[in-house]
Amino acid sequence: MQTSQSFGIHFTTRPDKAKDGKEPIYACVTVNKQRAYIALKQNVDPKNWDGGKGAAKGNKDEVKSINNYLEEVRLAIGNCYKELQLKRKMLSAKAIKDLYLGEEAEVYSLSRLITYHNETSTTDLKWSTLRHYYVTQRYLVKFLEDQHHASDIYLHQLDFKFVKDFEVYLRNHKPKDHQKPLNNNGVMKHIIRLKKMVNLALNLQWITNDPFATYKLKILKVNREQLSEKELADMEKKKLSIERLDMVRDMFVFCCYTGLSYVDMINLTPGHIIAGSDGERWIRTCREKTLIPVNVPLLPQALTILDKYKDNIRSLSNGRVFPTVSNQKVNSYLKEIADLCGITKNVTFHIARHTFATTVTLSNGVPIETVSKILGHTKITTTQIYAKVVERKLKEDMNALKLRIGSSTL
């Protein structure tokens, strides 16, 4: 571990604890501006104390004895500092004090916290979520190298400035590969992950001060995109001669009519298609992200696509409803499909879920509570971000209002 440290020892007295005209002497240990006081077994007449030098003054044998003792203490504390360095343990004023008093305590680092979080979160978080913490970890490592010239930092060194500097670093970071610079909400996601790990440290009592106590997250509301009714119809009707594009279009449209996410669609097996009490076919599965049960009645458009792939060799070979294709390739192919369909929006696979929530269901009068249930949301507020009223629905509602107002005046 490489960290730059400032270390100092100074002796002082405590007038408020004076007894019999003498004040007790304390050793003040400072590491990176953090202090720890050690009570020594020596008292001194304030007349014989030089506060600036931190030493007794005069030529009396008693004064010389005190100063000799203080030099021994200085040497012993210095040795504690060196010992912690050699053992590559965490350096702090408190750690040096504890070692000097024979009460060596463990001090924790940011890298240890991240490792502990990632190791203990494997049962709580899906890999699709946990992998984002590894990305945040890489940004933190790079930040420490570039801004602190260190490979790690002690948890007690985390403060508001560290968090703010990390935010500024992320905003100014210019990737050297194909990645785009982070937007505001992308930066905030990394800050949120750091905050969650710091909260873990607080709960573990690895630190006592919360560096996020006065920090305010700045999340911007995003206008979620979806296909309009015409755009969805154009994509459905488009004749695609390239097999890979035709397949991805079918997957996308299937999710537009079921509300499934990419990962839930790609993991769909024939066993997830069941006959409901109404005699119709339903999807019964659990969301990969949250493990929330999802029951979706299949609309005719989804059934047509489902039947198209029931004998697909690639689907049958892996026991899935659809052939397996990576999310990265799917999103790449969708851009080609959008161009062929004359759709100018930035179409990604997650837009299918937005389209289901708005164009297919909410704009056709399906109650938001029903949409929330189908999407597998635990809170209605989560669904409300999709509840964007499209122009056609707004016009229908206003026409209905006109009719009600007109009839009431008769």
Side-chain angles (χ1 to χ4, degrees):
M1 185 184 301
Q2 297 174 351
T3 52
S4 56
Q5 301 287 340
S6 62
F7 169 66
I9 305 168
H10 183 73
F11 298 103
T12 186
T13 61
R14 290 282 302 271
D16 59 314
K17 292 185 177 292
K19 188 177 181 180
D20 298 329
K22 290 188 176 182
E23 299 173 357
I25 301 175
Y26 283 75
C28 176
V29 181
T30 305
V31 176
N32 291 339
K33 298 181 180 180
Q34 290 189 338
R35 296 175 179 177
Y37 290 90
I38 303 173
L40 304 179
K41 297 177 180 179
Q42 284 288 341
N43 299 287
V44 64
D45 188 325
K47 295 178 182 178
N48 297 330
W49 183 255
D50 187 333
K53 293 182 179 179
K57 60 183 178 180
N59 297 316
K60 293 182 180 180
D61 290 341
E62 180 185 0
V63 169
K64 292 180 180 178
S65 176
I66 290 174
N67 285 338
N68 288 336
Y69 170 72
L70 295 183
E71 284 306 309
E72 290 176 3
V73 170
R74 188 189 301 276
L75 179 62
I77 292 175
N79 287 337
C80 290
Y81 173 77
K82 292 177 182 177
E83 182 178 337
L84 291 175
Q85 275 189 318
L86 291 171
K87 290 182 177 180
R88 300 180 68 82
K89 290 193 174 184
M90 301 298 290
L91 282 168
S92 69
K94 185 178 184 305
I96 294 171
K97 173 184 176 179
D98 290 340
L99 181 58
Y100 175 80
L101 297 175
E103 302 170 356
E104 185 176 357
E106 196 160 14
V107 190
Y108 302 92
S109 71
L110 180 59
S111 65
R112 180 170 179 181
L113 171 63
I114 295 172
T115 300
Y116 179 80
H117 170 272
N118 293 345
E119 288 177 349
T120 57
S121 296
T122 53
T123 56
D124 300 326
L125 301 176
K126 291 291 181 181
W127 168 246
S128 58
T129 300
L130 186 58
R131 66 187 178 88
H132 294 301
Y133 280 89
Y134 285 98
V135 176
T136 299
Q137 180 180 11
R138 289 198 292 273
Y139 274 116
L140 281 166
V141 169
K142 194 75 172 64
F143 168 66
L144 286 172
E145 291 175 350
D146 293 347
Q147 302 293 319
H148 291 256
H149 307 292
S151 60
D152 202 356
I153 193 171
Y154 313 125
L155 289 181
H156 64 257
Q157 291 178 276
L158 299 184
D159 53 15
F160 176 89
K161 185 177 184 301
F162 179 90
V163 178
K164 190 63 182 177
D165 287 349
F166 182 50
E167 177 195 332
V168 173
Y169 175 82
L170 291 173
R171 292 188 186 281
N172 295 330
H173 181 68
K174 293 181 174 58
K176 295 180 180 179
D177 53 16
H178 64 281
Q179 295 174 314
K180 296 179 181 179
L182 292 169
N183 59 22
N184 177 81
N185 288 2
V187 170
M188 287 299 107
K189 285 187 179 294
H190 289 295
I191 299 296
I192 288 170
R193 292 184 199 113
L194 175 60
K195 187 175 189 295
K196 287 182 177 178
M197 289 187 284
V198 167
N199 284 339
L200 174 62
L202 286 166
N203 292 332
L204 291 168
Q205 297 184 341
W206 287 5
I207 52 173
T208 55
N209 296 321
D210 182 6
F212 285 92
T214 58
Y215 182 86
K216 301 295 182 184
L217 292 165
K218 297 178 282 292
I219 305 294
L220 300 180
K221 289 186 178 180
V222 178
N223 183 25
R224 292 180 177 268
E225 199 74 88
Q226 82 283 327
L227 296 187
S228 67
E229 190 173 316
K230 181 182 182 303
E231 289 168 335
L232 178 56
D234 289 345
M235 186 174 285
E236 288 183 75
K237 295 174 184 175
K238 185 68 177 179
K239 298 294 183 183
L240 297 170
S241 58
I242 303 175
E243 183 182 357
R244 61 180 173 82
L245 297 184
D246 185 58
M247 177 187 69
V248 169
R249 185 268 308 276
D250 289 341
M251 292 176 171
F252 180 85
V253 171
F254 180 81
C255 290
C256 285
Y257 286 103
T258 60
L260 294 181
S261 65
Y262 160 79
V263 68
D264 294 330
M265 177 275 300
I266 213 71
N267 288 334
L268 208 60
T269 69
H272 292 134
I273 312 301
I274 58 101
S277 57
D278 56 0
E280 301 293 333
R281 280 185 286 176
W282 288 57
I283 292 176
R284 181 171 293 168
T285 183
C286 288
R287 288 209 65 198
E288 173 78 12
K289 184 177 179 180
T290 60
L291 299 180
I292 300 295
V294 174
N295 293 309
V296 184
L298 287 166
L299 295 171
Q301 295 90 336
L303 283 169
T304 300
I305 296 172
L306 203 61
D307 291 338
K308 178 179 177 179
Y309 287 87
K310 66 180 180 180
D311 296 320
N312 184 279
I313 295 176
R314 288 177 60 188
S315 301
L316 294 172
S317 65
N318 59 21
R320 309 284 171 144
V321 169
F322 294 102
T324 300
V325 56
S326 72
N327 194 19
Q328 185 178 9
K329 285 186 177 179
V330 161
N331 284 323
S332 176
Y333 297 159
L334 278 174
K335 286 176 173 51
E336 292 184 54
I337 296 167
D339 288 340
L340 292 171
C341 295
I343 299 172
T344 57
K345 293 173 181 175
N346 181 27
V347 180
T348 62
F349 203 91
H350 204 63
I351 282 182
R353 192 165 163 85
H354 299 174
T355 301
F356 172 82
T358 54
T359 306
V360 174
T361 55
L362 290 172
S363 64
N364 284 306
V366 179
I368 193 170
E369 293 82 5
T370 302
V371 178
S372 183
K373 190 74 174 176
I374 294 174
L375 291 174
H377 292 162
T378 56
K379 297 178 181 178
I380 198 74
T381 51
T382 307
T383 315
Q384 287 171 344
I385 63 175
Y386 296 102
K388 180 168 49 177
V389 182
V390 295
E391 188 175 336
R392 182 179 66 81
K393 181 67 167 98
L394 179 60
K395 185 177 179 179
E396 288 176 359
D397 290 345
M398 291 306 292
N399 286 338
L401 178 61
K402 288 178 184 178
L403 291 174
R404 286 198 297 272
I405 293 174
S407 62
S408 64
T409 58
L410 297 176

